Amino acid sequence: MWALTALYGAACLYLYYMQSVQPLDYNNRCFQSDLPYHISMIVEDGWYYSFTAYVYQALYVLCGKSTVGIAVFLAAVTVASLLLTELLLRRMADLQDRNWATMAAALILNLMMPFYLKWAGSYRYVSYQSGNLWHNSTYLCMRLLALAALLYYRKLEEGYREKITVKQWVIFALLLVICTGVKPSFLTVFAPALALKLLWDLFHGTRFTQVFLLGAAVLPACGVVLWQNRVLFGADTGNGMTFDPWYTFSLHADRPKLAVLCSLAFPLAVLGASLLAVNVPGEGRRPEDKRRHRLDSTYLFSLLMALVGFAEALCLVETGGRSRDGNFLWGYLFAIFWLQAVSLVKWLSLRNVDIMLLAMGENPMGRVRLRLIRTAYILAGLVLLYQLWCGGYFFFRLLGGETYFMMG
């Protein structure tokens, strides 16, 4: 698995370098990406709208005005995201040690693409919504920092009802500030979901002081959003936003609603299996590991983030020159990535459903439920395998220089 991870990193390094040296020609469809435009905006125009601009500027100068350093940096970010995904999987699954299975799961999550169905959308990427992409460098950097923020949030969430130290608050707030400074999209889905979750906690006995302290950690990042808003939507930019449901989803999809479902195929399959298994006794390796299957708080929070992101992408559209760029999708795309990771852990936990307890006795309804759980579990696994194949096929064609508008 380490060899495969290194191979994936090397492939990304090649891909990002080839993207970075492409000419600034909108008609060019060879190694198509946003990267050469991001570099040009920084190096030639001095337009700093993201914290990545300062990193790119420094690397460009240090590497003799070449883009090699930027490509190496992005490859390192991509591999780091994979490793952080693996760590999050272990934390969610209560596993202490890294092994081939956890690394394989992380690689799967970082490669899988939407469930391609030509009838829904002929373009493998732009017709759908995917948490994995390789053409937008600010998203790649934001995803890494967002994973770090979620990792720290899970640690805070476990004990914030009793105490939050100054150090914990500062670290969490700083992670959110840096992540938002790179790209504000994560905050746009995380902050509303956190607000709803904290409101739930408040009405279920958590002290107001603790709710306020955790919620206040988002405020410094909101200041960064105000700065970005002036840069991106200032009066002299000619850009704004409007309410236009389904506009973004309809840009490149033949059947937008079906394409949305295809983009969420694995999480939806796991959700169906999970609902069937709610309150079914689970069986671990030891008797003391037995527990009843439930929709735990991490899983519910990931669903809430995805719902918030979907609502934003569904309704909000930029006006002006970026009206067709779909920039309100980015937060939703990360929410899909996170939901797929949590869904994978949930799917794996379903293999521990205690078959004997369901099938014992003369309980025909129990046997029917057992068959349904088995069927849903297998179906979700097949969906995962197909989406992994879609991702591998898409990535392989990207390495050949094909546009991300690829069809069929």
Side-chain angles (χ1 to χ4, degrees):
M1 287 311 306
W2 279 113
L4 283 176
T5 301
L7 181 62
Y8 174 63
C12 288
L13 174 60
Y14 168 77
L15 178 62
Y16 298 144
Y17 177 72
M18 294 304 295
Q19 290 176 350
S20 70
V21 296
Q22 296 306 309
L24 296 178
D25 180 2
Y26 282 96
N27 294 318
N28 177 53
R29 290 294 183 263
C30 185
F31 291 101
Q32 184 183 17
S33 79
D34 299 333
L35 186 55
Y37 304 101
H38 288 170
I39 296 173
S40 176
M41 284 189 295
I42 297 155
V43 174
E44 298 177 12
D45 302 332
W47 197 51
Y48 295 81
Y49 74 101
S50 166
F51 288 174
T52 56
Y54 302 98
V55 178
Y56 291 178
Q57 180 73 30
L59 290 172
Y60 185 77
V61 173
L62 289 173
C63 294
K65 296 186 177 181
S66 77
T67 59
V68 173
I70 296 173
V72 171
F73 169 74
L74 291 175
V77 164
T78 304
V79 173
S81 296
L82 191 154
L83 296 177
L84 202 53
T85 302
E86 191 273 342
L87 178 57
L88 276 160
L89 290 175
R90 283 194 284 124
R91 293 288 174 84
M92 288 188 287
D94 295 323
L95 298 174
Q96 296 297 321
D97 299 322
R98 179 186 293 116
N99 57 55
W100 72 268
T102 59
M103 291 189 68
L107 185 58
I108 289 171
L109 288 168
N110 280 266
L111 273 176
M112 63 187 291
M113 292 288 287
F115 192 103
Y116 179 69
L117 187 63
K118 191 173 183 179
W119 192 61
S122 54
Y123 298 101
R124 285 190 167 269
Y125 167 61
V126 295
S127 293
Y128 304 85
Q129 300 83 52
S130 174
N132 288 318
L133 51 93
W134 295 268
H135 76 277
N136 187 276
S137 63
T138 52
Y139 174 84
L140 292 171
C141 296
M142 180 210 71
R143 184 174 63 173
L144 173 63
L145 292 163
L147 289 172
L150 282 172
L151 182 65
Y152 203 79
Y153 165 72
R154 291 192 73 253
K155 178 182 177 181
L156 276 183
E157 204 276 333
E158 292 172 357
Y160 93 95
R161 294 167 183 83
E162 286 73 39
K163 182 181 180 181
I164 298 180
T165 66
V166 174
K167 179 180 177 182
Q168 288 175 329
W169 191 93
V170 169
I171 291 175
F172 185 51
L174 188 60
L175 282 171
L176 291 176
V177 165
I178 298 174
C179 182
T180 304
V182 169
K183 204 175 189 72
S185 309
F186 171 67
L187 192 73
T188 63
V189 295
F190 176 76
L194 178 63
L196 293 172
K197 195 264 181 190
L198 291 178
L199 189 62
W200 173 271
D201 289 349
L202 182 64
F203 283 103
H204 285 78
T206 305
R207 286 178 297 154
F208 173 78
T209 304
Q210 299 307 112
V211 169
F212 176 78
L213 283 174
L214 184 55
V218 176
L219 295 179
C222 293
V224 178
V225 173
L226 294 177
W227 161 67
Q228 291 170 323
N229 185 67
R230 287 197 300 270
V231 175
L232 296 173
F233 297 102
D236 58 338
T237 65
N239 298 316
M241 63 181 72
T242 187
F243 179 83
D244 192 353
W246 289 107
Y247 172 82
T248 300
F249 290 124
S250 303
L251 286 173
H252 305 291
D254 299 293
R255 292 169 178 81
K257 296 178 179 64
L258 181 58
V260 167
L261 294 177
C262 288
S263 303
L264 296 168
F266 177 65
L268 289 175
V270 173
L271 177 61
S274 299
L275 291 174
L276 287 170
V278 166
N279 292 328
V280 172
E283 184 178 28
R285 296 179 180 178
R286 300 169 299 177
E288 57 267 35
D289 287 337
K290 290 185 179 180
R291 61 183 181 271
R292 299 180 74 80
H293 286 276
R294 64 190 189 280
L295 302 182
D296 57 82
S297 60
T298 299
Y299 185 58
L300 291 173
F301 189 74
S302 68
L303 289 170
L304 184 57
M305 277 182 55
L307 184 61
V308 170
F310 172 73
E312 293 174 356
L314 174 70
C315 298
L316 299 179
V317 178
E318 284 185 285
T319 59
R322 298 197 299 266
S323 62
R324 296 180 60 85
D325 291 352
N327 285 323
F328 285 106
L329 275 171
W330 298 116
Y332 179 48
L333 301 186
F334 175 79
I336 290 176
F337 179 84
W338 175 239
L339 178 59
Q340 287 175 337
V342 179
S343 296
L344 180 59
V345 175
K346 174 60 69 176
W347 177 70
L348 291 172
S349 74
L350 293 176
R351 74 187 188 279
N352 293 327
V353 171
D354 192 338
I355 303 300
M356 296 303 295
L357 288 177
L358 272 178
M360 65 187 301
E362 298 298 326
N363 185 350
M365 291 303 296
R367 289 195 293 273
V368 170
R369 191 180 180 192
L370 169 61
R371 293 190 191 99
L372 289 174
I373 294 173
R374 283 174 168 171
T375 302
Y377 179 81
I378 294 171
L379 178 63
L382 293 175
V383 170
L384 177 65
L385 285 176
Y386 178 64
Q387 289 193 230
L388 175 61
W389 183 88
C390 289
Y393 181 70
F394 179 80
F395 184 69
F396 181 77
R397 288 177 64 175
L398 282 181
L399 293 176
E402 195 164 348
T403 170
Y404 55 79
F405 274 91
M406 68 180 67
M407 301 173 63

